[in-house]
């Protein structure tokens, strides 16, 4: 049974969210706050009182765009708490999803809030609250949120064969299609280096384990990943070749 704080500076939106939350049988209590300052005060008091106190909060359903501090600001501040509540962002803007999961969010729900989508967010929270021994963001570290038809879905990073730069965005290529995310390729390169992704060109970041062939032709190099053939720049050619040699033990 979850104890919830919902935060939104638009009262009609807050009341609608509270109505939906209170209708869920997994919710023990759901209270509202109309701004970041009030939310931080209540969360601080709840954390200080401890998890067994009646004021305890398991999860905060948090709007992003608010007057004064934003929901992202609140999440950054909560990261400094010893035992902060979990966070679910509820927002009309899909463009902040990647940043939200960097801030350890459990889920990212788009407005207008649908009952079924909110129920899925509650399920995710309940799973994590039920197993406090597991880090709250294990699943988020293994997945990346993408927007599909107005719904945020989670793509396992292991399913991504390569990423392609498209300005300030990146297109993620999987066996089942591609997904555009609002994050630069250089950022993905830093985050996914430890997961076996390597830069082969200013436009491409590839999963080393998904390379099927390394091709040399008249001094140029390319790799084949499935049906895609991607050029390797001279700058990255030697490092890629060394990595592949070490991977095969040669």
């Amino acid at each position: 049974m979850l104890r919830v704080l919902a935060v939104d500076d638009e009262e009609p939106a807050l009341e609608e969210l509270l109505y939906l939350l209170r209708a869920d049988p997994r919710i023990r209590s759901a209270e509202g706050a109309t701004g970041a300052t009030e939310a931080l005060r209540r969360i601080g008091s709840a954390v200080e009182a401890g998890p067994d106190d009646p004021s305890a909060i398991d999860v905060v359903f948090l709007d992003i765009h608010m007057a004064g501090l934003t929901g992202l600001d609140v999440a950054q501040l909560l990261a400094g708490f010893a035992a902060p509540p979990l966070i679910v962002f509820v927002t009309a803007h899909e463009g902040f999803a990647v940043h939200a999961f960097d801030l350890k969010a459990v889920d990212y729900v788009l407005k207008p809030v649908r009952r079924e989508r909110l129920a899925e967010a509650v399920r995710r929270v309940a799973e994590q609250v039920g197993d406090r021994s597991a880090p709250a963001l294990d699943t988020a570290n293994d997945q990346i949120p993408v927007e599909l038809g107005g719904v945020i879905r989670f793509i396992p990073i292991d399913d991504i064969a390569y990423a392609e730069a498209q300005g300030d965005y990146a297109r993620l290529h999987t066996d089942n299609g591609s997904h555009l995310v609002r994050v630069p390729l250089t950022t993905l390169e830093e985050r996914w280096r430890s997961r076996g992704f390597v830069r082969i060109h200013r436009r491409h970041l590839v999963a080393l384990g998904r390379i099927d062939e390394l091709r040399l032709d008249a001094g140029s190099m390319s790799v084949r990943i499935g049906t895609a053939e991607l050029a390797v720049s001279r700058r990255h050619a030697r490092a890629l070749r060394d990595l592949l040699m070490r991977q095969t033990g040669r």
Side-chain angles (χ1 to χ4, degrees):
M1 297 291 288
L2 300 173
R3 299 159 296 186
V4 175
L5 177 66
V7 187
D8 197 315
D9 63 349
E10 296 182 359
E11 290 196 22
L14 178 61
E15 290 302 319
E16 174 67 14
L17 180 57
L18 287 171
Y19 172 79
L20 293 173
L21 287 168
R22 288 166 180 163
D24 193 306
R26 293 164 295 188
I27 303 296
R28 178 193 300 179
S29 63
E31 302 300 328
T34 56
T37 301
E38 179 187 354
L40 286 169
R41 177 183 57 77
R42 293 174 68 168
I43 295 167
S45 298
V47 169
E48 185 176 350
D52 297 325
D53 190 84
S55 67
I57 298 169
D58 296 308
V59 57
V60 182
F61 283 76
L62 184 59
D63 188 23
I64 287 182
H65 282 291
M66 297 186 291
L69 293 175
T70 69
L72 297 173
D73 294 329
V74 172
Q76 287 177 326
L77 290 169
L78 291 183
F81 284 39
L86 301 177
I87 296 171
V88 172
F89 284 104
V90 182
T91 177
H93 306 275
E94 72 270 12
F96 298 99
V98 172
H99 189 186
F101 284 97
D102 282 346
L103 292 170
K104 316 303 184 191
V106 176
D107 208 343
Y108 190 94
V109 178
L110 292 176
K111 295 179 179 178
V113 179
R114 294 183 294 109
R115 187 185 300 271
E116 300 81 7
R117 183 64 185 87
L118 189 64
E120 171 62 16
V122 172
R123 183 193 66 78
R124 289 173 178 268
V125 171
E127 284 185 353
Q128 292 195 17
V129 170
D131 186 8
R132 287 292 187 176
S133 62
L137 247 204
D138 277 353
T139 55
N141 285 335
D142 293 332
Q143 303 176 48
I144 184 168
V146 299
E147 192 271 331
L148 292 172
V151 176
I152 298 297
R153 300 194 184 278
F154 303 89
I155 303 299
I157 294 172
D158 289 343
D159 287 356
I160 299 168
Y162 67 96
E164 178 182 6
Q166 294 191 355
D168 291 333
Y169 292 72
R171 182 166 294 280
L172 310 179
H173 293 266
T174 72
D175 294 337
N176 298 316
S178 67
H179 311 278
L180 193 66
V181 295
R182 189 178 180 179
V183 56
L185 199 65
T186 51
T187 300
L188 294 180
E189 180 184 8
E190 293 172 4
R191 292 177 184 167
W192 294 352
R193 185 176 291 115
S194 63
R195 303 186 68 96
F197 281 80
V198 296
R199 192 73 171 260
I200 64 167
H201 191 276
R202 63 182 178 82
R203 290 194 59 200
H204 291 118
L205 178 71
V206 305
L208 198 63
R210 299 293 293 270
I211 295 176
D212 298 311
E213 292 180 357
L214 178 65
R215 298 177 175 178
L216 298 172
D217 183 20
S220 64
M221 182 183 291
S222 63
V223 296
R224 183 178 65 81
I225 300 178
T227 60
E229 185 170 351
L230 309 175
V232 180
S233 69
R234 293 181 181 273
R235 175 184 174 188
H236 296 95
R238 182 168 182 175
L240 176 63
R241 194 169 183 174
D242 289 347
L243 281 170
L244 290 172
M245 290 298 184
R246 286 201 295 271
Q247 188 182 51
T248 56
R250 296 178 184 176

